Each structure stands twice: as C-alpha cells, then as structure tokens.
Amino acid sequence: MVIQAAPGPPVALGGPAVIAARGVAKGYGAAPVLRDVTVDVAPGVTGLLGANGSGKTTFIGLLLGLHRVDGGELRVFGLDPARNGAAVRARIGYAPEHHRLPPDIQALDLVRHLAEVHGLPPREAMSRASDALWQCGLGEERLRPVGTMSTGQRQRVKLAAAIAHDPRLLLLDEPTDGLDPAQRDAMLALIRRIGREFGIDVVLSSHLLDEVERTCDNVMILAGGRIIAAGPLAELRRGASGVVVELERGADAVQARLLQAGWVVQRDGARLTVAADPAHEAAAFDAVRDAVAGGGGAIRRLHPRRASLEEVFLGATA
Amino acid sequence: MTAPGPGGDSGGARILDQGYRGYDGERRGVGGAVRAVHRAAVQRALGLKRSARYKVVPLLVAVLSFLPAIVFVGAVALLPTSFRDELPFGYSDYYGYITAAIVLFVSFVTPEVLCTDRRTGMLGLYLSGPLDRLRYLLAKAAAVATVLAVVTLGPTLLLLIGFTLADTGPAGALDAARTLARIVASAAVVNIWYTTLSLAVSSLTDRRAFASAGIILTVLVSSAVVNALVENGLSAQLRLLDLFGLPFDLVRRIYGERGSGSITELSTASMALAATALVALFIAVLAWRYRRLEVTK
C-alpha cells in the first residue's frame, strides 16, 4: 500500500485548503520536531494523528503563530500565521491539551471573557458564551466555578470557550484526554456536530486511532516530525479494499478455488481475505460466491474489506 | 402525546432548538483584546466579582493610603490659620507616610495579575487569541499601573483638592497647574518604577507567594544593604541602587527639594538616569522571560 502525503494538488473537499503547509520545519535548539511537513488540510473535521511527542502540539503552535517556522511555508486561511498572527488567531478557536483553568472563575465568566478577548463586544460575548455552554451541555452548570468541575466538564468548558466567538477553524489538542468512555463518546459526538452542523472546520489532535476514525473526514498522520499519510479517510482506507469471508467449513477448498481463479488470498484460520481494488470488488464477491458454492463451503460471515485506520497507520509507519 | 397547538393550555409555547448561531457582527481585534485583558486584570486585582477575602487587601491598602490625606485635610480645615505653616503636610512628604502601603499593594497586585495566568493556563488561552506577547504584557502592565494609581495618585490629588477647598492650596491658576503637574509626575515616577520592578520579579516565578515575597525582599534588602554600605563610608553614588528609596528621592527632586543626608550629594540627572536604566533592566528581564515561554502545553 502506498500512501502519498502531498506534494501534489491540494486535497479539495468542497473548497480550498484551510491550512496549507509546504516543507515546514521546526526545531527547538538542535532537536528537530517537524521536518518537511507538506500537507493541505481540507474543510471538515481533520484528525491530526500521531504518537506522543510526534510534533502535534508544535504543529498547532505554528498554526496559531505562537512559534515561527524554521523553514518552509505555512498558510492558515491563506495567511501566514507568524506575520498575520492577530488576524489568524481572531478566527481560530483553540482548546489546549492541559486541563488547568482558573479555578475561582465561573464557567460563564471565563467563556465570556475569552470571547471578548477574541474581539466580541461585551453584550454579544455574554450571550454567545451562554449559548456555547448550553451547546456543550453545560447550560445548567454555567455558573459553577471551574475549579469545582470534573475533567470532563473542564474539557467542555474549553470547547465552549473555543467556539463562543464563532471561529472559522477549531484546533483541539487531545480533547478527550482524561475522559471516561461515555464522556469520550459524548465529546466526539459533539465535535462531529460542530464540524457538520455548525460549519466550523476542526483539526483534532489525538494519539488514539479509533477516535480519529470515528470522528474525522480527513486524516493526517505525523510520525517522527513528518506527515507520513494525509487525505480523506475514505481514500486512505481504499488501499485495502476487497472481500472478507469467514467460513463454517470448507476453507481449504474455497481458498484453492479462489487461488486457481487468480485472486490474491490471505488466510487467517477460517477467514479468507480476497484483495481487490474497488472497481473489482463486485467481481471478487462473485468469485467468492462461486468458490464457496463449488468447494462446498458454508459461510458464517461475508463483508467488504475496509482497512481500519490502524492498518493505514501501520502501513505508513512500516 | 400530542403537542399542544396554538391556543392550547401552553398558550402556544413551543420548544425551539435554536441550533448554532453564526456571528457576523463587529470584531474589535487587538484593541478590544487589550481592553478586555486590562479590565479583567484590574477587576481581579481589586477583588471585584470575587469573594470577600480577595477584597481585604485592596480595602486595607486604600484605607492606609488615604487615611493620612484625610487627617491632613481635616487638620488644615479645623486648625487656626496660624498653625498651618508649621504642619508637616507637603505633597512631597506624602509618599513617606504611605510607602508601606505602596509596597504591600504592589506585592499583592502584580503577582495576582501576572503569575496567575501562567499557573492556570490562561496565558496560552490569551495568546491563542488576537493578542501577542508584547500586547498581552502591555495590557497587564497597564492594569498594574491603573490599580497602583489608586494609591500613588489618589491621595495626593485628594490632598490638593482638600487644601484648595480649605483655602491653603496653590495660589492662582499657574501655581495650581504646576502643583498638579508635580503630583501627576510624581505618581508616574512611583508608578512606572514599581510596576516594572514588580512585573520583572513576578515574571521569574509562577507562584504568587514567591513573587510577593520576592518583590518585598528585593526592595527592602537592596535598601538595607545600600544604606549600610553608605553609612560605613562607601560612595553616596551607591544610593542609586536603592530600589526602595530611589523613586521617592526622585519625587522630592520633582518638588524642587534635595532631600536630606547623603542623597543630597547626588545630582537629579544622575538619579533620573539611574532610574531610567533600572526600569529598562526590569523591562528587559520581563521581555527575556516571556520571549521564549512555552504556552501551548
């Protein structure tokens, strides 16, 4: 499987790239953190996936114009964030990774204040802060001091603060960190809703594959300071299409018939995976049907092969 | 269950999911951000919108710094005219009565305004908005200076107004303007000095208590050491390094007084130069600390 991170034409999903990076490099002292990062981030919800220490937070810092790139070019909304920092940041909502927030301030006051800092007039800031907290499920809790809130609630406060000023782009650094599974599901659903219904483009950094897989339209995978795969999730998965058949009996005969017919077959116990590119998937299904019928097999399960992001990730990092 | 229609028991009430509203209105940019940070920092320092215990220090300091002015104005108003000239109530002397209040206040206010943001992660949230580090620091410095003006400018202005009403104020418009200019200039000197000094010290630690202690120790220890050295025969020029006394000595020069003791040996120009250089040093320390501060973690 070959996955190409751009260079090449920008990934276009209904609009121009929100973020465009060309050969971006960044290091601290002698240690390079990002090397030759070249990627276009299309509108929608994008997962920035990478192990801890792979450079995700540094990349977000560059997008915010908090650091300058050492080399290459970076554009957010078509602007250089290091030079037009104020204009770029005014339209970005950012929720940092840490959960530290001023403990003695009410959630509503905090969100309102940050909306004002992003340029909203006081009256608007107040009403939008209240709305944002309701949208994030903290309407009833909005007058509580942040210090009395659980980690899950603080994550929501950070999210509310990030959307209150109606940003064009939302940068979420590990937004499910510290959440239990139920809270994580709720948070991911909320992020999907923000991306789909609110019309805000989202970049979500995470080290959890399934999280990105469940939430995002696009993915970029960072490893060792490089983008090793980038593009729409559906496209990245396409590299591993075909048919998977799990058999009650007759696996040997079915496999033999498929091989005979010229298909590439992988076997894992009673499960056969027939590789086929998407154009030939229907033919692969027919071939499996014929092989099972001819070989006297009995099917337990039959489904199209869809590579998980983990396969993409492992394939790209291999 | 059927939803009640218009005219039903609920009077036509419906639950509306408003969904998400976009915002196309005014955005105030960097200026709005600076004003928002300034306002929030002033409120926080004064304990506004916070529980009663955060109001204790600002109230105490306000009482300490205004009390002498109120007593002086009262005394001048009540005492017979013949006694007035012998009273030690000059504008230039006033800071002598409230130095403790000023140092106490600045050691309370500045760490609250600056250190808290680093400890609570607010700094990262601020800098991910339109603010950059320079403008953030300007907003914070302006907040410290605003709050500090309550004690550095408020009492002397009260003195001027009180004396004027009691007919012992400046004689004529020109004298009044000169006195007012001196009052404002003095307050500016003390304000700029203690704002930059306390910001520099506060930038060195995330902990408010350490910063408070650091500010008090910096001014008191430098003053004690300088005074001991000068009294033991070393050059009076060392007094230029008295981080506690230098601004107040400068205030005397603004009123055309030379002061007393070894400070009289120093020229006003050298004092102004030393103060400017030290303020530049404080700003440099602050800038150095904030330039490379990691804020996204």
Side-chain angles (χ1 to χ4, degrees):
Chain A
M1 181 169 58
V2 179
I3 295 167
Q4 291 233 318
V11 177
L13 272 186
V18 182
I19 298 165
R22 294 285 173 274
V24 166
K26 178 69 190 171
Y28 296 109
V33 179
L34 295 174
R35 285 176 287 195
D36 192 25
V37 169
T38 297
V39 69
D40 285 294
V41 176
V45 183
T46 303
L48 174 56
L49 188 61
N52 288 326
S54 57
K56 302 189 295 287
T57 299
T58 299
F59 189 60
I60 287 178
L62 290 176
L63 297 177
L64 286 166
L66 297 175
H67 326 295
R68 283 175 182 277
V69 298
D70 295 340
E73 266 188 78
L74 186 64
R75 293 285 179 275
V76 180
F77 318 133
L79 298 169
D80 177 357
R83 226 178 296 157
N84 305 94
V88 170
R89 287 192 296 269
R91 300 308 306 275
I92 290 184
Y94 165 62
E97 187 178 355
H98 64 75
H99 314 307
R100 298 189 312 273
L101 290 171
D104 53 347
I105 298 182
Q106 289 175 0
L108 180 61
D109 269 342
L110 178 67
V111 176
R112 175 192 57 77
H113 177 50
L114 286 169
E116 278 185 45
V117 169
H118 279 82
L120 266 58
R123 191 183 295 257
E124 277 293 335
M126 181 53 117
S127 98
R128 290 195 62 88
S130 187
D131 281 1
L133 284 161
W134 278 103
Q135 298 280 5
C136 293
L138 283 177
E140 306 281 357
E141 318 281 336
R142 67 191 187 285
L143 299 181
R144 263 176 64 183
V146 179
T148 67
M149 290 185 160
S150 68
T151 307
Q153 288 170 322
R154 284 177 203 213
Q155 289 281 26
R156 284 162 181 268
V157 171
K158 286 192 293 179
L159 189 59
I163 63 170
H165 62 283
D166 189 27
R168 281 174 65 184
L169 172 65
L170 198 55
L171 300 177
L172 306 175
D173 201 351
E174 304 273 2
T176 59
D177 192 34
L179 302 187
D180 65 35
Q183 290 174 326
R184 238 183 73 183
D185 287 349
M187 175 60 88
L188 292 176
L190 186 57
I191 292 169
R192 280 191 77 77
R193 197 168 156 236
I194 289 170
R196 297 280 149 77
E197 292 177 31
F198 298 8
I200 300 171
D201 297 320
V202 181
V203 171
L204 150 79
S205 98
S206 176
H207 62 277
L208 298 172
L209 289 161
D210 72 310
E211 196 167 292
V212 170
E213 194 156 26
R214 283 160 50 191
T215 318
C216 301
D217 311 310
N218 310 306
V219 186
M220 48 183 161
I221 302 177
L222 259 177
R226 293 176 204 276
I227 298 276
I228 53 167
L233 191 55
E235 233 169 66
L236 291 184
R237 283 163 157 175
R238 199 170 295 154
S241 54
V243 178
V244 177
V245 60
E246 224 174 287
L247 296 154
E248 271 312 324
R249 58 171 192 273
D252 291 334
V254 173
Q255 185 184 10
R257 282 174 178 266
L258 283 168
L259 288 171
Q260 207 174 2
W263 295 94
V264 178
V265 182
Q266 277 181 328
R267 179 156 176 196
D268 178 16
R271 193 171 72 170
L272 305 179
T273 303
V274 184
D277 57 47
H280 295 96
E281 219 169 68
F285 269 105
D286 289 345
V288 168
R289 178 200 60 202
D290 296 344
V292 171
I299 295 175
R300 184 187 295 155
R301 189 184 297 166
L302 176 70
H303 59 86
R305 179 185 179 199
R306 287 287 171 264
S308 70
L309 196 52
E310 190 168 2
E311 285 177 69
V312 175
F313 187 77
L314 292 175
T317 47
Chain B
M1 196 180 107
T2 53
D9 288 343
S10 62
R14 285 180 301 164
I15 293 172
L16 272 179
D17 179 10
Q18 281 195 316
Y20 180 78
R21 289 185 300 134
Y23 177 73
D24 296 321
E26 177 195 7
R27 288 185 192 264
R28 298 185 170 179
V30 179
V34 168
R35 284 195 297 277
V37 172
H38 174 262
R39 189 169 58 241
V42 168
Q43 285 178 348
R44 190 172 177 85
L46 293 178
L48 305 177
K49 292 187 179 179
R50 301 178 79 194
S51 62
R53 67 193 173 104
Y54 293 104
K55 297 175 171 64
V56 172
V57 172
L59 271 176
L60 181 71
V61 168
V63 169
L64 284 177
S65 56
F66 276 92
L67 198 60
I70 292 165
V71 170
F72 295 166
V73 170
V76 165
L78 297 175
L79 287 173
T81 322
S82 53
F83 286 103
R84 289 181 182 174
D85 292 342
E86 293 165 35
L87 296 172
F89 300 161
Y91 303 104
S92 64
D93 303 321
Y94 194 81
Y95 288 115
Y97 297 101
I98 62 163
T99 46
I102 291 174
V103 173
L104 176 67
F105 202 29
V106 83
S107 70
F108 169 77
V109 165
T110 313
E112 182 72 49
V113 164
L114 201 68
C115 298
T116 313
D117 283 352
R118 295 208 303 276
R119 209 166 157 72
T120 60
M122 272 304 275
L123 180 62
L125 293 174
Y126 278 142
L127 296 185
S128 64
L131 288 174
D132 54 26
R133 289 165 205 237
L134 173 66
R135 293 194 175 87
Y136 165 82
L137 288 174
L138 282 176
K140 289 290 185 177
V144 173
T146 305
V147 174
L148 208 51
V150 173
V151 289
T152 56
L153 186 61
T156 39
L157 273 184
L158 179 69
L159 220 50
L160 174 65
I161 294 165
F163 285 173
T164 306
L165 292 178
D167 249 355
T168 53
L174 194 67
D175 195 19
R178 192 170 59 207
T179 307
L180 183 64
R182 282 172 164 170
I183 285 173
V184 172
S186 306
V189 166
V190 176
N191 224 327
I192 291 170
W193 178 267
Y194 276 106
T195 297
T196 53
L197 181 147
S198 60
L199 285 172
V201 175
S202 300
S203 73
L204 298 174
T205 169
D206 288 358
R207 302 188 73 110
R208 274 178 306 175
F210 289 174
S212 296
I215 292 165
I216 293 173
L217 284 175
T218 304
V219 291
L220 294 189
V221 169
S222 74
S223 183
V225 169
V226 164
N227 279 315
L229 291 175
V230 173
E231 275 168 27
N232 282 302
L234 273 105
S235 162
Q237 298 291 335
L238 271 176
R239 298 203 65 141
L240 296 175
L241 296 175
D242 178 353
L243 302 183
F244 175 68
L246 186 59
F248 300 119
D249 292 331
L250 255 178
V251 165
R252 287 185 191 287
R253 300 295 170 100
I254 288 173
Y255 286 97
E257 301 164 13
R258 286 209 71 81
S260 58
S262 56
I263 196 73
T264 52
E265 296 171 29
L266 300 179
S267 72
T268 305
S270 67
M271 287 165 68
L273 201 66
T276 308
L278 283 165
V279 164
L281 174 71
F282 300 148
I283 292 171
V285 169
L286 182 65
W288 166 73
R289 277 290 292 169
Y290 271 79
R291 176 159 296 173
R292 292 210 166 267
L293 206 61
E294 183 66 56
V295 294
T296 45
K297 292 278 175 196

